[in-house]
Structure formats: structure tokens, C-alpha cells
Amino acid sequence: MAADPKTSYQGRIHLLQKELMGRYYQELTAAARDGSPPAAYMLISGNPVELVRAFGMLPVYPEVNALQIAVKKQALPYILKAEELGYSVDNCAYVKADIGLYFSGRQAPFGTIPEPALILCNYVGCNVYLNWFEHLREYARAEVFFLDIPFVRDPMAPRPEDLAYVVAQLRELISVCERITGRPLDWEYLRHICALSAKTGQLWAQIKHLTKHVPCPLDAYFDAVTLMGPLYCLRGSEEGLRFFEEAYREVKERTELGLGPLPEERYRFVIEGPPPWPYLRVFRDLFSRWGAVAVASTYSTVGGLWEFGFAHDPDHPLESIAQHMLYWNLTNRDLLRRYQQIRRYVQEWGAHALVIHSVKSCRLFSAGQGDMREYFSRELGVPTLLVESDLEDPRYFSEAQMRNRIDAFFEALEHRRLVGAEARP
Amino acid sequence: MSVSTFEVDVLARCREIVEDPAFTAVRRWKEAHPYQKVVGCYPVYSPIELVHAAGALPVGIIGGGNQVEIAHADARFQSFICSIVKSTLELGLTGRLDLLDGIFFHSICDPARNLAAVFARNFPNLRVEYIHYPQNLASPTAVTYFRAELERIRAALAEITGRSIADEALHDSIVLYNRWRTRIRHLYELRQAAPEKLPAAEAYTLLRAGTLMPVEEHLPLLEAALRKIPGRTAKRQDRIRVVVEGAFCEQPPVDLIAAIEQAGCYLLDDDLLLGWRWFTGDVPEDGDPLEALATSYIDRSVYCGTKHDTRAPKAAHLVQRVRALGADAVLFLCAKFCEPALFDYALYRRALEEAGIPHLFLEFEEKMWIFDRARGEVETFVESMLFG
Ligand code: SF4
Ligand code: SF4
């Protein structure tokens, strides 16, 4: 093993991302001060930001706020505040950080979060979403809309009834937004936004496919998260699109130059589960020291599965927004479809191993990961490592334990390599 | 308390059925009805009328209680996942669910959702159906959507049983289940009027046995109970009157329910086995029966931790229920790691504090054996209320 390399985010995109997200939070802070534009609280998974943007509303994502607090290692006081209010140690820490933030005058370390004009629960992700927004609704007393997205039950596609149901609800939502903003929906503008989203999604998908290259030009977990902020917060805007054009150029260039995030790529792995935000750097370095790069991740598909062929359709805006929510994202699909997705990553992205980051806070991701492990290691013969911590709560991260497990795993891989027993599924 | 044959025979038999992880009673039924199918219903609510109308037996698959040792399932679900998910999987992995022809899971929470997928992978011969319940109850399209979802379940049941379900059959099942639910409501009313005559653990056992036998057999048991119980002679004791909230999915051991009561409470109402008494009124017996079930879900169902209704906040429901029953306090009996129940608690606590209603929070696990701590906490709480 080489001396521990310290990784860092590389390139222009990281700086650009920082700048864009900084500006986004300035907008939020201004909206909190001026009371305008009206803020819509929404959730990440399969969000219909195109529609919200078409009304000139400001999308606010409690999940993004929660993770930013975690990245800044400032989550604990907010979490404890929520626990004082009666939330359990076992509840999702994103929610607790957000509720703690709400009751701290919405003052985050990076800006002020405006009060919502609309609490829009897009139930694409976990069931916790419903609880979360139910609670916000009681605290904030704003207009509320629970956009119900049926979980995909049929093996291949959403049912026509499901699509009709979601489109009908989107129409109801349009009336609500018209009432809040006092202006009718400009369909042309919505189509324009969908076209921007389509292009943005395509570029993101292309970047995801570039990570098939050896060496992998961009860590599809630790670096991909850099791109996820703009993908949600700025999708459907001109500056969001420009960011992705720039990002694509940069990753493409790195691919052509044969550059990867590490000096030497020794192992390629697929990773499942959300990142441990408070210890992202530490966690990353535990892999870097083994020359291990994430070539694909399930987490980077929580907002959408553009890489498998989805694009918004400007000619059918509502239908395509509905399709995105119903089908083209990880979280509205069942666990077995997630297995298939990972399997595809392992095969097509040429990975040596699967790493499962089991997150206590997030049962949508974690519940049943033991079965996933069983499937990959026993049935498919893919070396699989399961480590546990949390995505927000620093109390659940033990670096020493993590390091032991990761080292033991890579030592075993190293051994397999030496004896020539390396398996490729 | 006078002991009649009702107590000795019926309650003992019910308890035996309820605490038997081998599902012997259901197995016997299946032997006696070799051409009929058995469909498992995971909590909270399942459209049992549809299963019945298909000529199949709906059976409550509600975890393994404290009778099942988890040996295999905890390799699949982590330590921070509630017990019912693991014990239900354990029942499957140890062959105890091989009597099922199908099983329903629902959109109640993330672990249950993932459990459905794990079931589908591990038991490829079992028909696993995941029912998505509408979560936008304010939407006028919710009924249309949910009717279509029930139609899908009707088709799935037809595939399981090999026979289609006619509207008439569904209508008859609805009528029968309306009768059954009325009896259950009466049982609760009886308990509320004279809690000393019907301990909660008994009512629970009687009700839970109904999830493991045909409604036609359970109805006479309920009716016998309703005849016998009012005649019991029992002295009312100095206890506080509480509403139990939070146990809508994973179920506490029967002995824990008894221990809580004996520690100085009368449990006037609870949310145990909520799915089997889901509707607050009769399901309409006229018109399209599928639509009747769909509208009942949306307009005539209990509030619950797994149902999210923006039309009226849950906490308001709870306060209202406490007031309507003239209860003194709320006892939160939440399954350990049950995310929906633990979330609700934060909302409820706030509302109860505002309304000046005392409460006690207790966590349980279905696999508990020793109840001393819970009993102690309840006793302290009761004392503080009676003498504080
Ligand atoms: S449970 Fe998971 S997906 Fe849901 S809000 Fe929490 S972290 Fe996000
Ligand atoms: S006990 Fe709670 S967390 Fe567990 S399956 Fe039931 S509702 Fe879900």
C-alpha cells in the first residue's frame, strides 16, 4: 500500500459548484428577508422543480440544507434540539437537523432559509418524507400539497392509472401554485424549462457513462456529489445548464488525458447508500489509500436515473415530469430493481467490489441491505463490504472501526489478486 | 370475577391460536379446505373483503411475537430495524409461512416496503403483492386511483385462487365484514363503559384470534363474548383511564398489555390491530363495491401513523379521541425502531402538552419477556396522576 494520499476535489467544477451553491443560498437568504419570491419546500427524489420554477417560485430543499449542515460538521446541535422536542434518536437525522434548523430561526451556517409559501411533499422517496412534511406543515402552517407518487409495482413500467393519477395531481398542484403566485401557468415557459432540464440531464448522464473508462475520470460517489447540488437546485435554469456543459467538458478532458482522481487506480468499486456527510473526507481517504475509486453509486441516482435513458420531454411537460417521479429515479423502485441496477454497474462499469454503506438514519436505503449483501456475495460472487455509520449524525461514525473493516476487505482483495483468484461477475 | 365456560374455553383457545407461531389453526383450516387459498396480510390494513370474496382466507401475518427466535433474519435486516420486520422474515425463512399462497405488503414505511422485496426474492413461489395506498387524500382523484389499485388486487387474487371475484360476492363479503366490525366496535364500547369487566388483554386476544380464522367462525365468538361479558361481576378499581397510541403495526406481547393494565390503568382504547377495524363506519353496501371500499379508505378510516391526511392533523384526532372518551391520559406504546410511531410521538406530544393532557412514553419489542421496567414506569406515572 502506498503512503496515505490525501485527496481533494479537483478542477474548475468544484470551485464553480461552490460559487453557484453560494449564490443559491444568497437567493434563499434574500427571500427570507424580503418575503419574495415565494419559497416552495420540496424533496430531492424525483422532484418536479420544473413546475415550481415555471411559477418563479424558489425551490428550497430541506435535505440539501440538512446535508450542508452535516458537511460543515454543525449538525449535532440542531439534531439535539429536535430530540428535545420529542424526536427519537432513531428518527432520520435529516429530518431532525431540519426541524432543529426550523426552530433555530431558520439560521443555517451558510444562509437563512425562508419560510415556505408552499410545502410540497413529493412522495417519491421514502415514507419519512410524508412524516417530515406533515410535521413542517404543523409548524409552518403554509399551504400544503402532498403529491402522491405510487411506488412502481409492475416489473417493467408504471401503470397507466398511475400516470393518469400523477398527471391529475400535477394539474391540481398547478392551481395551487397559481393561487399562491397570483399568476397563471405560462406553458411556453414550462416547456422551455423542461428543455433545459432535458439537456442538463443528458450531460449528467454522459458524465456518468464516462466513469466506465479506466482510469475512471471522476469518482462517481465522492466527486459526483459535487454535481448533485446544482442538479437539484439549479436544474431547469440557464446557469444550471452552463454548469453541466462545463462539467462535461472537464470530465471529458480528464478522460482523454487518462487522468483519474488518484495517482494510481488499483480498485474500482460500486457503492450503495448515502455518504457519511460529516466525515466525507475521512471516509474517502480510507478508500484512496488502497487506490480504490468509486465508478458508480446508487446514491447519485436518488434525484433521477438519467443515465439509463430518461430525459424530460418539452412537448409533454406534465407527462414527463410524472414519468420522472414515478419511474426514473432510484427511490421509487423496489429493492430488487436496485439490485439489478448495482449488478449492471458492477458489470458494465467493470467494478471489482461492492461497498455497502449502511446508514442508520435512512431505512429506505438501509433496511434489507443484509439481503443485498447475501445476493451479491453468495449468489453472484461479488466481493462485498458492509460498513455502518450515518449520513448526518456524527455520533454514529467510528473512524477506527471503519478503517479496520475497509483495510481487512482490501487486504483480502489484494490476496485474491495475488493468487489470481479475482472474479469478475 | 365469575369464571364461566366462556372464559375458560373461548379465551384459552384464542390465546393458544394467537401464540402459536406454527399457525396450526390455519393449517387445519387449509387441510379441511384443500381447494381454498390462504393470503397473508401484513399490517396495517389490507382489503380483507376482497380476499374473502375470492374464497380465500385472509390471515394476519403480524410478526413472530415472543415465540420466535431470530436466527436467520438479522443477517438480512440490521439491528436498528424494528422487530416485526425481522420476525416476519424469520417465519418465512423457517418455513412457517409455507401455508400461504400470497401475501400483501403495503406502503406503510420503508422497512415494510423493503421487506416486500426481500420476500419476493427469498420466496419465489409465494405471490407477493405490494399495495400502494393513496397518500394525497385531499385529491379528488384519490378514489379513482385507489379503485384501480383495488382492481389490480382483485386480478391478483383471481390469479392466486384461479377464480374471478364477482361484484355480488364482494358485496356479500362487505356485508359480512360490516357485521363483524360492528361487533368489534361493540366490544370496545363495552370496554369503555365498564373496563373492569373486560381487561384489554382479553379483548385483544379475542380480536387477534379473528385474524387467524374465518370471519364466519369468529363472529359467533364475538357474539358470545358480547352476551357474556356484561354479566360479569367485577369491582371497579381506582385506576386511571388511558388511550393507547403507537402500536398500530408491531404488536406488544399480550402479557405486557396485561401488566400495563394491572399497574393501574384501564385501557379504554388502543390502536392495536388497527387494520382489522379500519373503518369508522360501515362500508356502503349499495353501488359499486370496489368503489365502496375505495371511498371508505379515504373517507371512513381511522387516523393512523401510516396514513397521512392533510385534511385534518393527526394530533387533533388524538386530542379529540381522548376528550370524547373522557380519558385521563395517553400512553404511547411504540415499537422500538418504528419510525412512523416515533415521528408521530413528536407531534402528539406537542399537541397533548398544549391541551394539558398527561402522557407516558413507553417503547416495547414484540420479543420482550420481562415487563418489570414497563410496569414500574406505568406505576410511577399512575401514582403521580392519582396522588400527584
Ligand atoms: S429516510 Fe433516507 S431518504 Fe428519507 S429523508 Fe431520511 S435520509 Fe432521506
Ligand atoms: S413496526 Fe413500524 S417501522 Fe416496523 S414495519 Fe411496522 S410501521 Fe414499519
Side-chain angles (χ1 to χ4, degrees), chain A residues 1 13 21 69 80 83 87 155 173 205 231 238 253 263 282 290 302 345 359 367 376 380 387:
Chain A
M1 190 182 23
I13 44 177
M21 290 305 284
I69 295 175
L80 293 176
E83 287 178 3
Y87 292 88
L173 175 60
L231 185 67
E238 304 279 354
E253 195 182 293
V282 176
W290 289 95
V302 294
Y345 284 149
V359 163
F376 280 95
L380 301 183
V387 288

mmCIF file of all heavy atoms in Angstrom, chain A residues 1 13 21 69 80 83 87 155 173 205 231 238 253 263 282 290 302 345 359 367 376 380 387:
data_model
loop_
_atom_site.group_PDB
_atom_site.id
_atom_site.type_symbol
_atom_site.label_atom_id
_atom_site.label_comp_id
_atom_site.label_asym_id
_atom_site.label_seq_id
_atom_site.Cartn_x
_atom_site.Cartn_y
_atom_site.Cartn_z
ATOM 1 N N MET A 1 0.837 -1.196 0.000
ATOM 2 C CA MET A 1 0.000 0.000 0.000
ATOM 3 C C MET A 1 0.872 1.247 0.000
ATOM 4 O O MET A 1 1.835 1.339 0.730
ATOM 5 C CB MET A 1 -0.899 -0.024 1.232
ATOM 6 C CG MET A 1 -1.939 1.036 1.186
ATOM 7 S SD MET A 1 -2.996 1.080 2.645
ATOM 8 C CE MET A 1 -2.047 0.330 3.899
ATOM 9 N N ILE A 13 -14.712 22.565 -11.831
ATOM 10 C CA ILE A 13 -16.125 22.351 -11.490
ATOM 11 C C ILE A 13 -16.376 22.439 -10.004
ATOM 12 O O ILE A 13 -17.425 22.875 -9.579
ATOM 13 C CB ILE A 13 -16.707 21.026 -12.028
ATOM 14 C CG1 ILE A 13 -15.759 19.871 -11.819
ATOM 15 C CG2 ILE A 13 -17.131 21.162 -13.438
ATOM 16 C CD1 ILE A 13 -16.341 18.527 -12.266
ATOM 17 N N MET A 21 -23.586 27.312 -5.596
ATOM 18 C CA MET A 21 -24.377 26.977 -4.410
ATOM 19 C C MET A 21 -24.361 28.157 -3.430
ATOM 20 O O MET A 21 -25.354 28.424 -2.760
ATOM 21 C CB MET A 21 -23.864 25.694 -3.744
ATOM 22 C CG MET A 21 -24.138 24.421 -4.550
ATOM 23 S SD MET A 21 -25.877 24.163 -4.978
ATOM 24 C CE MET A 21 -26.530 23.608 -3.396
ATOM 25 N N ILE A 69 -25.410 21.317 6.411
ATOM 26 C CA ILE A 69 -25.084 21.480 7.835
ATOM 27 C C ILE A 69 -24.155 20.352 8.270
ATOM 28 O O ILE A 69 -23.186 20.563 8.999
ATOM 29 C CB ILE A 69 -26.369 21.463 8.690
ATOM 30 C CG1 ILE A 69 -27.255 22.663 8.374
ATOM 31 C CG2 ILE A 69 -26.024 21.464 10.172
ATOM 32 C CD1 ILE A 69 -28.595 22.639 9.111
ATOM 33 N N LEU A 80 -29.897 17.722 18.327
ATOM 34 C CA LEU A 80 -30.245 17.665 19.749
ATOM 35 C C LEU A 80 -31.465 18.533 20.057
ATOM 36 O O LEU A 80 -32.309 18.170 20.876
ATOM 37 C CB LEU A 80 -29.046 18.103 20.610
ATOM 38 C CG LEU A 80 -27.850 17.141 20.565
ATOM 39 C CD1 LEU A 80 -26.679 17.702 21.356
ATOM 40 C CD2 LEU A 80 -28.233 15.756 21.083
ATOM 41 N N GLU A 83 -34.370 16.533 19.190
ATOM 42 C CA GLU A 83 -34.601 15.455 20.170
ATOM 43 C C GLU A 83 -35.238 16.014 21.437
ATOM 44 O O GLU A 83 -36.074 15.354 22.056
ATOM 45 C CB GLU A 83 -33.290 14.698 20.446
ATOM 46 C CG GLU A 83 -32.907 13.817 19.252
ATOM 47 C CD GLU A 83 -31.594 13.056 19.396
ATOM 48 O OE1 GLU A 83 -30.957 13.142 20.468
ATOM 49 O OE2 GLU A 83 -31.206 12.374 18.422
ATOM 50 N N TYR A 87 -38.341 14.188 19.218
ATOM 51 C CA TYR A 87 -37.914 13.259 18.163
ATOM 52 C C TYR A 87 -36.975 12.226 18.763
ATOM 53 O O TYR A 87 -36.231 12.509 19.703
ATOM 54 C CB TYR A 87 -37.256 14.026 17.005
ATOM 55 C CG TYR A 87 -38.267 14.867 16.268
ATOM 56 C CD1 TYR A 87 -38.550 16.165 16.676
ATOM 57 C CD2 TYR A 87 -38.992 14.332 15.214
ATOM 58 C CE1 TYR A 87 -39.524 16.925 16.042
ATOM 59 C CE2 TYR A 87 -39.967 15.088 14.569
ATOM 60 C CZ TYR A 87 -40.227 16.379 14.983
ATOM 61 O OH TYR A 87 -41.191 17.119 14.348
ATOM 62 N N PRO A 155 -43.257 -4.977 -12.911
ATOM 63 C CA PRO A 155 -41.824 -5.133 -13.158
ATOM 64 C C PRO A 155 -41.254 -4.131 -14.159
ATOM 65 O O PRO A 155 -40.149 -3.657 -13.984
ATOM 66 C CB PRO A 155 -41.701 -6.556 -13.704
ATOM 67 C CG PRO A 155 -43.011 -7.206 -13.548
ATOM 68 C CD PRO A 155 -44.023 -6.186 -13.171
ATOM 69 N N LEU A 173 -51.933 20.732 -8.529
ATOM 70 C CA LEU A 173 -50.813 21.492 -7.979
ATOM 71 C C LEU A 173 -50.650 22.821 -8.727
ATOM 72 O O LEU A 173 -50.361 23.862 -8.120
ATOM 73 C CB LEU A 173 -49.535 20.652 -8.079
ATOM 74 C CG LEU A 173 -48.236 21.323 -7.657
ATOM 75 C CD1 LEU A 173 -48.279 21.779 -6.209
ATOM 76 C CD2 LEU A 173 -47.048 20.364 -7.853
ATOM 77 N N ALA A 205 -25.900 12.445 -17.561
ATOM 78 C CA ALA A 205 -25.848 11.036 -17.947
ATOM 79 C C ALA A 205 -24.537 10.718 -18.662
ATOM 80 O O ALA A 205 -23.901 9.687 -18.403
ATOM 81 C CB ALA A 205 -27.037 10.688 -18.838
ATOM 82 N N LEU A 231 -27.550 19.881 -9.719
ATOM 83 C CA LEU A 231 -28.529 19.080 -10.454
ATOM 84 C C LEU A 231 -29.944 19.271 -9.885
ATOM 85 O O LEU A 231 -30.924 19.269 -10.617
ATOM 86 C CB LEU A 231 -28.138 17.597 -10.390
ATOM 87 C CG LEU A 231 -29.010 16.648 -11.210
ATOM 88 C CD1 LEU A 231 -28.842 16.902 -12.706
ATOM 89 C CD2 LEU A 231 -28.669 15.194 -10.893
ATOM 90 N N GLU A 238 -30.773 28.334 -16.859
ATOM 91 C CA GLU A 238 -29.669 28.522 -17.809
ATOM 92 C C GLU A 238 -28.333 28.284 -17.107
ATOM 93 O O GLU A 238 -27.440 27.639 -17.642
ATOM 94 C CB GLU A 238 -29.670 29.953 -18.381
ATOM 95 C CG GLU A 238 -30.973 30.376 -19.061
ATOM 96 C CD GLU A 238 -31.112 29.862 -20.494
ATOM 97 O OE1 GLU A 238 -30.140 29.269 -21.004
ATOM 98 O OE2 GLU A 238 -32.211 30.024 -21.076
ATOM 99 N N GLU A 253 -12.266 15.884 -20.837
ATOM 100 C CA GLU A 253 -10.853 16.207 -20.996
ATOM 101 C C GLU A 253 -9.993 15.280 -20.117
ATOM 102 O O GLU A 253 -8.986 14.730 -20.562
ATOM 103 C CB GLU A 253 -10.668 17.660 -20.561
ATOM 104 C CG GLU A 253 -9.387 18.318 -20.960
ATOM 105 C CD GLU A 253 -9.373 19.750 -20.395
ATOM 106 O OE1 GLU A 253 -10.201 20.566 -20.868
ATOM 107 O OE2 GLU A 253 -8.589 20.019 -19.464
ATOM 108 N N PRO A 263 -3.561 9.029 -8.040
ATOM 109 C CA PRO A 263 -2.368 8.827 -8.877
ATOM 110 C C PRO A 263 -2.389 7.452 -9.552
ATOM 111 O O PRO A 263 -1.956 7.304 -10.691
ATOM 112 C CB PRO A 263 -1.203 8.929 -7.896
ATOM 113 C CG PRO A 263 -1.753 9.351 -6.569
ATOM 114 C CD PRO A 263 -3.233 9.344 -6.632
ATOM 115 N N VAL A 282 -12.734 11.941 5.455
ATOM 116 C CA VAL A 282 -12.103 10.829 6.166
ATOM 117 C C VAL A 282 -12.489 9.503 5.492
ATOM 118 O O VAL A 282 -11.653 8.641 5.224
ATOM 119 C CB VAL A 282 -12.597 10.811 7.637
ATOM 120 C CG1 VAL A 282 -12.041 9.602 8.378
ATOM 121 C CG2 VAL A 282 -12.221 12.099 8.337
ATOM 122 N N TRP A 290 -6.013 2.763 -0.614
ATOM 123 C CA TRP A 290 -5.927 1.483 -1.318
ATOM 124 C C TRP A 290 -5.983 1.659 -2.840
ATOM 125 O O TRP A 290 -6.086 0.674 -3.578
ATOM 126 C CB TRP A 290 -7.046 0.555 -0.871
ATOM 127 C CG TRP A 290 -6.841 0.061 0.537
ATOM 128 C CD1 TRP A 290 -7.363 0.584 1.674
ATOM 129 C CD2 TRP A 290 -6.026 -1.045 0.942
ATOM 130 N NE1 TRP A 290 -6.927 -0.120 2.768
ATOM 131 C CE2 TRP A 290 -6.108 -1.127 2.346
ATOM 132 C CE3 TRP A 290 -5.217 -1.961 0.245
ATOM 133 C CZ2 TRP A 290 -5.421 -2.106 3.078
ATOM 134 C CZ3 TRP A 290 -4.538 -2.932 0.968
ATOM 135 C CH2 TRP A 290 -4.648 -2.989 2.373
ATOM 136 N N VAL A 302 -30.541 9.209 -6.719
ATOM 137 C CA VAL A 302 -31.761 9.486 -5.945
ATOM 138 C C VAL A 302 -32.614 10.575 -6.598
ATOM 139 O O VAL A 302 -33.820 10.623 -6.383
ATOM 140 C CB VAL A 302 -31.477 9.881 -4.473
ATOM 141 C CG1 VAL A 302 -30.872 8.742 -3.699
ATOM 142 C CG2 VAL A 302 -30.587 11.116 -4.385
ATOM 143 N N TYR A 345 -24.061 -1.949 -12.844
ATOM 144 C CA TYR A 345 -22.868 -1.136 -12.569
ATOM 145 C C TYR A 345 -21.626 -2.018 -12.457
ATOM 146 O O TYR A 345 -20.578 -1.712 -13.004
ATOM 147 C CB TYR A 345 -23.028 -0.370 -11.254
ATOM 148 C CG TYR A 345 -23.941 0.833 -11.292
ATOM 149 C CD1 TYR A 345 -24.654 1.212 -10.162
ATOM 150 C CD2 TYR A 345 -24.063 1.621 -12.438
ATOM 151 C CE1 TYR A 345 -25.473 2.326 -10.161
ATOM 152 C CE2 TYR A 345 -24.887 2.737 -12.444
ATOM 153 C CZ TYR A 345 -25.591 3.082 -11.301
ATOM 154 O OH TYR A 345 -26.400 4.177 -11.312
ATOM 155 N N VAL A 359 -26.661 3.037 6.470
ATOM 156 C CA VAL A 359 -26.880 4.292 7.171
ATOM 157 C C VAL A 359 -28.033 4.127 8.145
ATOM 158 O O VAL A 359 -29.136 3.788 7.753
ATOM 159 C CB VAL A 359 -27.178 5.387 6.121
ATOM 160 C CG1 VAL A 359 -27.815 6.586 6.760
ATOM 161 C CG2 VAL A 359 -25.902 5.782 5.409
ATOM 162 N N ALA A 367 -32.684 -0.626 5.100
ATOM 163 C CA ALA A 367 -33.439 -1.809 5.528
ATOM 164 C C ALA A 367 -33.319 -2.914 4.480
ATOM 165 O O ALA A 367 -33.721 -2.733 3.337
ATOM 166 C CB ALA A 367 -34.911 -1.456 5.761
ATOM 167 N N PHE A 376 -25.326 -10.456 -3.524
ATOM 168 C CA PHE A 376 -24.121 -10.168 -4.300
ATOM 169 C C PHE A 376 -22.966 -11.096 -3.948
ATOM 170 O O PHE A 376 -22.289 -11.608 -4.827
ATOM 171 C CB PHE A 376 -23.718 -8.685 -4.181
ATOM 172 C CG PHE A 376 -24.537 -7.829 -5.093
ATOM 173 C CD1 PHE A 376 -25.671 -7.192 -4.631
ATOM 174 C CD2 PHE A 376 -24.217 -7.715 -6.433
ATOM 175 C CE1 PHE A 376 -26.459 -6.439 -5.487
ATOM 176 C CE2 PHE A 376 -24.993 -6.962 -7.304
ATOM 177 C CZ PHE A 376 -26.128 -6.326 -6.823
ATOM 178 N N LEU A 380 -23.787 -13.990 -6.592
ATOM 179 C CA LEU A 380 -23.045 -13.511 -7.757
ATOM 180 C C LEU A 380 -21.533 -13.574 -7.574
ATOM 181 O O LEU A 380 -20.789 -13.340 -8.510
ATOM 182 C CB LEU A 380 -23.462 -12.080 -8.109
ATOM 183 C CG LEU A 380 -24.936 -11.853 -8.437
ATOM 184 C CD1 LEU A 380 -25.161 -10.403 -8.833
ATOM 185 C CD2 LEU A 380 -25.426 -12.760 -9.553
ATOM 186 N N VAL A 387 -20.300 -1.540 5.674
ATOM 187 C CA VAL A 387 -19.874 -0.729 6.825
ATOM 188 C C VAL A 387 -21.049 0.131 7.278
ATOM 189 O O VAL A 387 -21.910 0.485 6.479
ATOM 190 C CB VAL A 387 -18.674 0.190 6.488
ATOM 191 C CG1 VAL A 387 -17.398 -0.621 6.332
ATOM 192 C CG2 VAL A 387 -18.936 1.024 5.246
#
